[in-house]
Amino acid sequence: MHEVNTSLNSSERQFPMERTRNIGIAAHIDAGKTTTTERILFYTGLIHKIGDVDDGNTVTDWMSQEKERGITITSAAVTCFWKQKQEEGVVKLFGDIDQRINIIDTPGHVDFTAEVERSMRVLDGAVAVFCGVAGVQPQSETVWRQATKYKVPRIAFVNKMDRTGANFQNALEDMRKKLGAYAFPIYLPIGAEDNLAGLIDVVNQKALIWGPGDVQNEGLKYDITDVPAEMKEEAEAALKELVNAVANKDDAIAELVLEDKPVPALDLKAAIRRLTCNLQLVPVMCGSAFKKKGVQPLVDAVIDYLPCPLDIPPAKGHVPGTEDEAIVEASDENKFCSLAFKLWTDPYAGKLVFFRVYSGRLKKGDTIYNPRTRKRERVSRLMIIQGGERKDVDFAFSGDIAALVGLRNITTGDTLCDESFDISLEPPTFPEPVISMAVEPKTKADRDKMSEGLQRLAEEDPTFRCFTNEETGQLIIAGMGELHLEIIIDRLKREFKVEANVGAPQIAYRETITSPADGEGKFIRQSGGRGQYGHACIKVEPNERGKGIEVENKIVGGAIPKEYIPAVIAGIQEAIAGGVYAGYQVIDIKVQVVDGSFHEVDSNELAFKMAGIFALKEAFKNANPILLEPVMKVEVTTPGEYQGDLVGDISRRRGNIQNIENKSGQVIVNANVPLAEMFGYATAIRSLSKGRASYSMEPLTFEQVPSNIAANILDTAAKRPAART
Ligand code: GDP
């Protein structure tokens, strides 16, 4: 283990931005993300005893229920250090210089897409881990799409090459076909399954062989040899393919190829780096994290090919209250600007706010400003997580990731900046919850403690919501799936010591409109003494799906005095949240406040708020409202003999079959199915396939509920208004 000066307490930065990598490790659940992270932390010298996921003893899985479930649901940011070793005959781009790597752990379970989205927002690059047996699984596709949305450059790591059935070529083909990736191997496996001996370094045409050694030391060292004779042809063909692929997109390499000149390894690597950082190429690696084969080259590749904070376009934001765009250049000399991407209640240190610095530097004792709340707070403590230990630091520089301790009033997605640099960075966007359930404390006395706990959890997680149903007084929680809500209940018990009874999960339907309409709301009470007078006229029209709610004030002449406009808008928003048609939240509409009137004496805020509520309700009813339901993307994997029964069952569930393919002797059925029809599916699929088929699903979109079913829902909602979100 090499020694590095990792002191991060100097006012001069120890690690220039060129030597910093902010990366995420993204994968389908069980592909080996946690194990890969563990191994990276091990090799980078942080933890001296490797913790295996199966023992529930890893650094990134620090929430106890995660250990039990073996899934990572929070994105902990961990800092580690690496130096590429100079090796005979092996060219590396940044040999022998200390580098700092911040790993932001992204969850693999689709119930936690918010976690993935928010970490994507602050990453500069990612390692996408795939399972060498299963190839591209549905959640890897989701994560891949999110990485593309946030323009995150990627390296692919095909893991589990030691497992029976592992097939590197299949995984590669899958990546090209399903993800449309311009993906080319930079390493090839030598042997497979039990006989995985090492890797071919394609660029350098060398073999890396991990010796057996004793269990403790296995995988620590590898030998560099010539490519074994029986793989020479394959290795050379892979290099040729790689060079051609790079030449296709890179002029410097194209020139060499056209002139039939040899392409030096250093030039090829530099070009791969350029293309990868530009999202034009995905270098593909392989190995077995578990067997400790291929991890050191992976860390080398993170340094070689993934961008540093200077290689990515500067962050964008806007000046609060305006449409003006603002660019945040990464430099310590600029004013401080950062994004809070993760809130975490640490059992020892209290509330931590993980943030990414986009420009400037932050010193312990500085005051930061939050443009959303317009509040200032003093930073009394700064910290980083290094190998599961919390380390106090005095500074955070441009491009760094660190945590603030003990600050209040900060929510995920907030910009934190220097007050004179009043700017809001683009916060990540989050999907709508699809499922809800009623909760109540086991003992009545815990009710306040419970709402406080739920409120705190909602602050941490933008895809989790909680509210009280006005009509029934019930507390309702809403999230991305049953597992998501189960974890919330579990955290409530562990962190807030409140035990809850929960109702059956309900579908989080939505309401929207299909045509423009007008609405008028009047709240007038004039019967002696001081009365009430509020009057508002509005226009509504459908907004594009996914575009959300837009409320705009179009009154110029003072038909409603300026000071009452916010009350009208608050009323409109309240009606939107509570639903009009069947008590479900309204989405995707545009509202304009266009007219109204007031009374010198009787007008007040409450009256205008009520007018806003009434106007929205009327307009909505006039605008051909419909109910929307969440539709899931479902993937079923089954032996061929059950295909007919399973497809028939999906059709009965109002499912649309998208495609059916054969892969490694299994049939894979892709379908879009309304979530409402998926309750109890786990049991159904088990009995239809004698336990041999499996499935996964993720939210895809909201679609109109067919009218016969909508009629039932409306009927039930009228009788039992508890199921709204
Ligand atoms: P995550 O859900 O993506 O974080 O995956 P984990 O790292 O928790 O791994 C899931 C399971 O696969 C665990 O039982 C690991 O021990 C196992 N695993 C991870 N990597 C490998 C590998 O390279 N080879 C084999 N055979 N098993 C692995």
Side-chain angles (χ1 to χ4, degrees):
M1 229 61 46
H2 67 277
E3 288 298 315
V4 188
N5 174 11
T6 58
S7 158
L8 294 168
N9 283 328
S10 158
S11 62
E12 290 307 315
R13 61 187 304 152
Q14 302 295 304
F15 289 87
M17 267 188 272
E18 292 84 348
R19 290 202 261 139
T20 299
R21 300 287 182 278
N22 293 315
I23 65 154
I25 299 184
H28 188 285
I29 185 160
D30 260 10
K33 187 196 64 219
T34 311
T35 311
T36 307
T37 310
E38 275 304 308
R39 298 313 194 227
I40 292 177
L41 293 180
F42 172 75
Y43 284 112
T44 53
L46 276 177
I47 41 176
H48 296 276
K49 179 181 172 302
I50 284 205
D52 282 321
V53 178
D54 300 331
D55 303 337
N57 170 33
T58 58
V59 174
T60 40
D61 273 11
W62 31 319
M63 275 174 75
S64 50
Q65 70 265 43
E66 282 177 64
K67 286 189 189 168
E68 286 159 22
R69 288 169 206 271
I71 52 175
T72 310
I73 56 167
T74 54
S75 18
V78 187
T79 301
C80 60
F81 300 90
W82 183 247
K83 192 193 288 195
Q84 291 185 332
K85 243 173 45 195
Q86 297 284 24
E87 289 164 334
E88 189 63 32
V90 178
V91 172
K92 295 179 186 177
L93 283 183
F94 302 92
D96 252 354
I97 312 171
D98 288 328
Q99 310 272 354
R100 178 184 185 185
I101 304 174
N102 296 314
I103 305 177
I104 297 130
D105 190 21
T106 58
H109 198 283
V110 71
D111 275 10
F112 310 113
T113 39
E115 301 270 354
V116 183
E117 292 242 353
R118 79 178 112 182
S119 39
M120 288 292 171
R121 177 71 172 73
V122 296
L123 298 176
D124 298 331
V127 175
V129 178
F130 296 93
C131 170
V133 182
V136 175
Q137 295 158 285
Q139 283 153 33
S140 350
E141 251 182 283
T142 313
V143 175
W144 192 271
R145 279 201 305 273
Q146 281 161 334
T148 305
K149 176 171 156 195
Y150 287 101
K151 299 196 171 56
V152 177
R154 269 146 281 173
I155 297 175
F157 182 70
V158 179
N159 187 34
K160 299 200 183 181
M161 286 308 300
D162 61 308
R163 268 191 52 192
T164 312
N167 187 322
F168 181 66
Q169 276 308 325
N170 275 356
L172 180 68
E173 281 312 314
D174 241 20
M175 243 175 262
R176 291 174 177 168
K177 214 169 74 195
K178 287 195 180 160
L179 307 174
Y182 194 67
F184 293 88
I186 53 168
Y187 286 84
L188 297 174
I190 304 178
E193 307 181 348
D194 280 349
N195 298 320
L196 176 72
L199 305 178
I200 303 281
D201 174 342
V202 174
V203 174
N204 291 297
Q205 293 286 299
K206 289 281 177 193
L208 313 184
I209 309 288
W210 278 263
D214 56 72
V215 176
Q216 201 71 52
N217 293 320
E218 185 181 358
L220 286 187
K221 283 212 300 251
Y222 53 83
D223 292 322
I224 299 173
T225 67
D226 288 335
V227 175
E230 67 276 15
M231 286 196 70
K232 246 188 145 54
E233 210 175 303
E234 192 187 338
E236 281 167 9
L239 177 59
K240 201 162 166 205
E241 194 194 8
L242 180 64
V243 168
N244 285 334
V246 171
N248 255 336
K249 309 238 171 183
D250 187 277
D251 290 350
I253 301 298
E255 218 166 280
L256 292 175
V257 171
L258 285 177
E259 290 170 11
D260 235 0
K261 289 191 180 146
V263 177
L266 199 62
D267 295 22
L268 181 57
K269 283 203 140 191
I272 295 175
R273 177 177 177 79
R274 282 194 295 273
L275 293 180
T276 309
C277 289
N278 257 335
L279 296 149
Q280 288 175 293
L281 173 80
V282 178
V284 184
M285 313 188 61
C286 55
S288 160
F290 187 68
K291 292 278 171 73
K292 295 171 237 156
K293 290 174 181 166
V295 179
Q296 300 106 312
L298 177 63
V299 190
D300 278 347
V302 164
I303 303 295
D304 273 345
Y305 303 129
L306 290 182
C308 76
L310 289 171
D311 293 323
I312 56 160
K316 277 195 201 137
H318 67 273
V319 182
T322 73
E323 301 275 301
D324 298 349
E325 195 180 83
I327 298 285
V328 183
E329 295 282 351
S331 157
D332 290 348
E333 308 313 317
N334 286 352
K335 286 179 180 164
F336 178 68
C337 182
S338 70
L339 184 82
F341 66 93
K342 169 81 192 161
L343 264 56
W344 174 253
T345 312
D346 180 90
Y348 303 100
K351 191 161 149 182
L352 300 187
V353 178
F354 284 90
F355 66 105
R356 149 96 198 229
V357 185
Y358 284 96
S359 73
R361 60 168 79 188
L362 183 66
K363 189 164 123 256
K364 197 168 101 179
D366 281 355
T367 297
I368 50 171
Y369 176 72
N370 183 343
R372 181 180 62 84
T373 57
R374 311 229 149 251
K375 289 211 166 87
R376 278 163 225 100
E377 282 196 81
R378 191 170 166 272
V379 176
S380 55
R381 220 177 141 195
L382 275 175
M383 134 189 319
I384 60 165
I385 309 291
Q386 218 179 303
E389 280 176 27
R390 300 154 193 82
K391 282 205 165 175
D392 277 85
V393 294
D394 293 336
F395 288 88
F397 298 95
S398 272
D400 278 355
I401 282 172
L404 298 160
V405 188
L407 293 196
R408 305 183 177 283
N409 305 321
I410 293 175
T411 313
T412 304
D414 276 352
T415 302
L416 305 172
C417 60
D418 186 301
E419 190 166 358
S420 61
F421 191 35
D422 189 3
I423 195 171
S424 273
L425 293 167
E426 289 169 60
T429 53
F430 298 111
E432 287 282 326
V434 293
I435 214 159
S436 73
M437 51 171 77
V439 288
E440 61 176 24
K442 283 211 164 120
T443 48
K444 283 255 172 339
D446 278 349
R447 188 170 167 108
D448 287 351
K449 220 156 83 181
M450 179 177 215
S451 4
E452 189 201 315
L454 290 173
Q455 220 62 57
R456 287 264 292 279
L457 293 170
E459 257 175 39
E460 277 182 22
D461 177 356
T463 56
F464 168 66
R465 297 199 194 136
C466 70
F467 49 83
T468 307
N469 182 317
E470 299 298 336
E471 277 128 303
T472 60
Q474 269 178 315
L475 270 177
I476 309 287
I477 58 176
M480 298 312 295
E482 287 183 67
L483 178 62
H484 186 202
L485 296 183
E486 219 179 279
I487 298 231
I488 295 278
I489 297 298
D490 205 25
R491 289 189 64 188
L492 209 53
K493 184 165 139 200
R494 283 160 199 272
E495 292 168 34
F496 300 93
K497 312 276 178 274
V498 186
E499 297 225 20
N501 292 324
V502 299
Q506 309 274 346
I507 303 295
Y509 293 104
R510 294 288 189 279
E511 301 179 4
T512 194
I513 54 173
T514 54
S515 59
D518 297 340
E520 183 174 11
K522 280 187 186 158
F523 188 73
I524 302 175
R525 304 271 183 281
Q526 284 165 320
S527 50
R530 185 158 179 197
Q532 302 274 359
Y533 191 105
H535 175 211
C537 299
I538 64 168
K539 284 185 184 302
V540 295
E541 62 179 292
N543 204 355
E544 226 174 281
R545 187 71 68 249
K547 284 276 158 75
I549 307 286
E550 288 169 33
V551 186
E552 220 184 337
N553 173 34
K554 285 278 183 188
I555 292 186
V556 277
I560 300 176
K562 248 211 190 106
E563 68 263 35
Y564 295 132
I565 299 287
V568 175
I569 291 178
I572 290 171
Q573 265 152 353
E574 192 175 308
I576 283 172
V580 181
Y581 189 34
Y584 295 102
Q585 190 188 325
V586 174
I587 58 170
D588 302 336
I589 65 166
K590 288 189 201 172
V591 186
Q592 293 181 340
V593 184
V594 290
D595 203 359
S597 62
F598 68 103
H599 185 278
E600 286 297 348
V601 181
D602 292 344
S603 278
N604 60 40
E605 280 188 7
L606 179 70
F608 273 106
K609 185 173 166 193
M610 296 308 292
I613 293 177
F614 294 156
L616 191 278
K617 287 194 170 173
E618 184 181 296
F620 193 88
K621 285 181 189 149
N622 291 337
N624 296 319
I626 52 167
L627 267 188
L628 300 172
E629 64 180 341
V631 172
M632 311 301 278
K633 182 174 177 212
V634 178
E635 185 180 286
V636 175
T637 306
T638 174
E641 66 240 60
Y642 305 111
Q643 177 184 336
D645 287 350
L646 289 170
V647 166
D649 179 62
I650 288 175
S651 303
R652 275 190 295 283
R653 293 171 187 272
R654 294 195 281 129
N656 268 324
I657 306 287
Q658 300 296 304
N659 65 50
I660 299 178
E661 56 179 333
N662 284 295
K663 198 165 113 187
S664 329
Q666 298 267 323
V667 175
I668 297 175
V669 181
N670 282 296
N672 300 345
V673 192
L675 178 59
E677 306 291 339
M678 288 302 286
F679 285 130
Y681 190 60
T683 317
I685 192 175
R686 213 176 301 131
S687 73
L688 285 173
S689 70
K690 305 202 166 50
R692 292 178 58 206
S694 61
Y695 80 105
S696 67
M697 65 174 182
E698 60 176 86
L700 179 68
T701 181
F702 279 84
E703 273 175 20
Q704 180 167 3
V705 181
S707 55
N708 55 331
I709 295 171
N712 273 340
I713 299 167
L714 293 173
D715 201 36
T716 319
K719 289 190 202 123
R720 183 172 48 81
R724 73 166 174 84
T725 67

